[in-house]
Amino acid sequence: MSSPLPPLILVSADIRELDSYRWHAAIDTYVRAIMQAGGLPVIVPALGEAMDIASLIARADGVLVTGSRTNVHPAVYGEDPTIAHQPYDHDRDSTTLPLIRGALDQNKALLAICRGHQELNVAMGGTLATDIHTEDDRFNHLGPEATAPVEERFANRHEVKLQPGGELANILQADTLLVNSVHKQAIARLGDGLTIEATADDGTIEAISVTDARSFALGVQWHPEYWASQTTDADPPSTALFDAFVSAARGEESGRT
């Protein structure tokens, strides 16, 4: 008797310029985290309206929207661009926002990380704040310099409080969580139909869920994929989050209460 096929997980890509070529790229840790959890990752090129995104989603079981060094262009959420909002990736914006909305429309499992977490908020009508580390009431969420060793850059640094009885608390069976922090933007106005799942001590929204989603639909500001791409005991909450996501894509328990 043949084994069941692993769930097919679409992974968002960035556009990168290298050696005079344009590359559609996703970071290795995201695809490896999916594979560790038993999923089959497929990178989606950032081709925007040139693709039939609805048909693509129909053939998949879940969508992972990754982090990135670029930011959502502020015009997408009704604000004027400034130098502080840069850098941008318009091709990604035109792909990931329809990808998110399509996943929700088709009740596919959705996990959105870092930039993806912010994109989920924008896709639902919310806004973003930039350079939050310059605000008096916030601590520095930037993390170590980009040139720092990867194990230092993605080491867990600060605590977040999980919403009691929330989707994330239910999945992780925890009240608090120690997470890494590598971002300069954060959610400003929460999007319609979203629920706050976790916050940092300075009030930064660290995790959200889609309130009426019929499947797994979560966004987190930190980077669980770094830990989940390694051994299963490297950081158990990160592994548990990816396991829940891939299980939901497989059609099993989604973690929804």
Side-chain angles (χ1 to χ4, degrees), residues 76-187:
V76 177
Y77 50 90
E79 295 186 7
D80 295 328
T82 68
I83 293 176
H85 289 95
Q86 296 177 9
Y88 306 128
D89 185 340
H90 298 283
D91 298 280
R92 172 169 169 142
D93 290 346
S94 66
T95 306
T96 50
L97 297 176
L99 199 61
I100 289 168
R101 296 180 183 121
L104 295 174
D105 288 344
Q106 297 190 37
N107 302 317
K108 299 299 175 78
L110 173 67
L111 177 58
I113 294 175
C114 197
R115 188 195 208 269
H117 163 82
Q118 296 166 13
E119 287 168 311
L120 173 56
N121 188 60
V122 171
M124 302 296 283
T127 63
L128 304 176
T130 196
D131 282 351
I132 60 169
H133 57 281
T134 64
E135 299 177 13
D136 292 338
D137 57 347
R138 306 252 200 168
F139 55 75
N140 190 343
H141 289 260
L142 288 172
E145 294 291 332
T147 55
V150 66
E151 62 272 15
E152 177 183 339
R153 187 159 172 74
F154 289 98
N156 289 335
R157 300 175 57 237
H158 73 82
E159 187 177 84
V160 299
K161 291 182 172 63
L162 307 188
Q163 182 66 30
E167 304 291 347
L168 191 57
N170 182 53
I171 291 168
L172 301 181
Q173 292 295 294
D175 300 317
T176 61
L177 197 63
L178 193 64
V179 302
N180 48 33
S181 188
V182 189
H183 63 102
K184 75 167 192 172
Q185 296 203 138
I187 289 174

Side-chain angles (χ1 to χ4, degrees), residues 48 72 136 146 246 253:
V72 180
D136 292 338
V246 172
E253 174 59 46

